[in-house]
Amino acid sequence: MANEVLGFVGVGRMGSLMAARLLDAGHRLCVYDVSEEATRPLVMRGAQLAASPAEVASTAGIVLISLPTPDVVRQVVLGGNGGIINGSSVRLVIDLSTTGPGVATEVAARLAERRIGWVDAPVSGGVTGAGAGTLAIMVSCPTPILREVEPVLKVFGRPFHAGEKPGLAQTAKLANNLLAAAALVATSEVMAMGVKAGLDAKVLIDIINASSGRNSATQDKFPRAILPRTFDFGFATGLSYKDVRLCVDEAEAMGVPMVVGAAVRQMLAVTKARFGADSDFTFVAKVLEEWAGVEIRG
């Protein structure tokens, strides 16, 4: 497969790192992004530049996409003459985005009408994992297709087969991202409380990490991005809000109440309104700082 041209649509913060790893592994690439600046480093390394997603799909049999929202995924894959579905070579589309099970099911059905396979493959691990090739990749697709695409996915990290039905991997990803956001919100609350009471922030984090309250925020996000005051973990507030909103909406559509999830969604909405969609989602802690009148500093 290393000699086969692979397509990659969407080479932003995550996509660019995954595409670069494919080049490192010896794959030939055809790339497209709405930003010419995003594609330039890959083209300088030998990737072929396409003028549209459809052109990528007329060059490559397997097209990977890494896109920000479900609506963008739908448009890029199905939209007009420039959509991937209209490519002459594509036989498989691998969606590395967090799309949600609804859109995944819809797009998979439309592609199936053209005998094009669909692979849900949302990833977790952020820009650090994308660069290092240590992402967790949640995959749903038929087993024969998994066997074909697994060598490509292993370039990015460790695949987990969630099942064959379209959308199952997306459900797993939404569940994970809700938990990650919930840990960040709850930890920001207790850290603001602790600092207001007079505790040293780093000491409190160390206590929690040695105790039963430890979580991904106390072990990673606070030491790396909040205590040092950099707020640069690498995941946008707008994207986190989108993921949590998708999770809550999907759960409620299935008749599963999400009381805590709805509160997390609201906190991310407040953070997005206060600091903007492009702010790092660790700015949640800044919201709590402003409300409590404290600074959570290491």
Side-chain angles (χ1 to χ4, degrees):
M1 188 176 285
N3 292 323
E4 180 182 3
V5 177
L6 298 175
F8 210 114
V9 178
V11 288
R13 294 188 73 179
M14 291 289 288
S16 62
L17 295 169
M18 290 186 279
R21 288 195 62 83
L22 290 172
L23 289 173
D24 292 341
H27 293 282
R28 293 185 295 148
L29 277 186
C30 179
V31 300
Y32 173 79
D33 194 282
V34 291
S35 166
E36 183 183 342
E37 183 180 351
T39 59
R40 189 176 299 123
L42 297 167
V43 172
M44 290 177 65
R45 292 191 54 192
Q48 177 182 343
L49 180 62
S52 68
E55 186 176 320
V56 174
S58 293
T59 305
I62 297 176
V63 178
L64 302 97
I65 61 175
S66 179
L67 300 165
T69 68
D71 286 342
V72 173
V73 168
R74 185 188 286 110
Q75 178 62 31
V76 164
V77 178
L78 304 177
N81 293 329
I84 288 171
I85 194 171
N86 293 304
S88 59
S89 298
V90 61
R91 67 179 189 278
L92 288 174
V93 178
I94 302 174
D95 184 16
L96 302 161
S97 326
T98 302
T99 303
V103 168
T105 303
E106 172 194 343
V107 174
R110 289 282 302 279
L111 288 175
E113 294 171 2
R114 302 281 187 95
R115 297 185 177 178
I116 300 170
W118 173 261
V119 180
D120 291 316
V123 301
S124 180
V127 292
T128 301
T134 57
L135 294 170
I137 310 156
M138 291 140 269
V139 187
S140 50
C141 66
T143 301
I145 293 178
L146 175 65
R147 285 196 290 266
E148 181 176 0
V149 301
E150 201 166 29
V152 172
L153 297 177
K154 284 183 175 179
V155 172
F156 310 137
R158 182 183 175 189
F160 295 85
H161 193 206
E164 300 208 345
K165 185 172 118 180
L168 284 177
Q170 293 291 340
T171 299
K173 176 65 190 299
L174 293 182
N176 175 80
N177 281 23
L178 173 60
L179 288 173
L184 177 60
V185 170
T187 301
S188 296
E189 291 182 344
V190 300
M191 290 300 295
M193 178 192 71
V195 171
K196 184 112 183 185
L199 282 162
D200 178 272
K202 185 179 183 307
V203 171
L204 181 53
I205 284 290
D206 289 343
I207 290 169
I208 293 170
N209 282 335
S211 307
S212 58
R214 64 186 176 278
N215 59 68
S216 61
T218 62
Q219 293 178 312
D220 191 10
K221 297 174 183 70
F222 268 78
R224 196 204 305 183
I226 297 174
L227 298 187
R229 313 298 296 168
T230 56
F231 297 94
D232 60 352
F233 187 76
F235 192 53
T237 299
L239 291 178
S240 183
Y241 170 74
K242 178 262 297 183
D243 292 352
V244 171
R245 177 178 54 79
L246 273 174
C247 186
V248 173
D249 289 350
E250 292 286 351
E252 290 180 346
M254 290 187 281
V256 179
M258 281 211 164
V259 178
V260 174
V264 174
R265 177 182 59 186
Q266 187 63 27
M267 280 300 301
L268 287 166
V270 170
T271 306
K272 181 168 166 274
R274 172 67 181 86
F275 295 105
D278 292 333
S279 65
D280 196 89
F281 81 147
T282 53
F283 271 63
V284 167
K286 277 185 171 284
V287 172
L288 270 299
E289 288 180 337
E290 289 184 352
W291 289 352
V294 298
E295 188 174 89
I296 304 167
R297 179 182 290 277

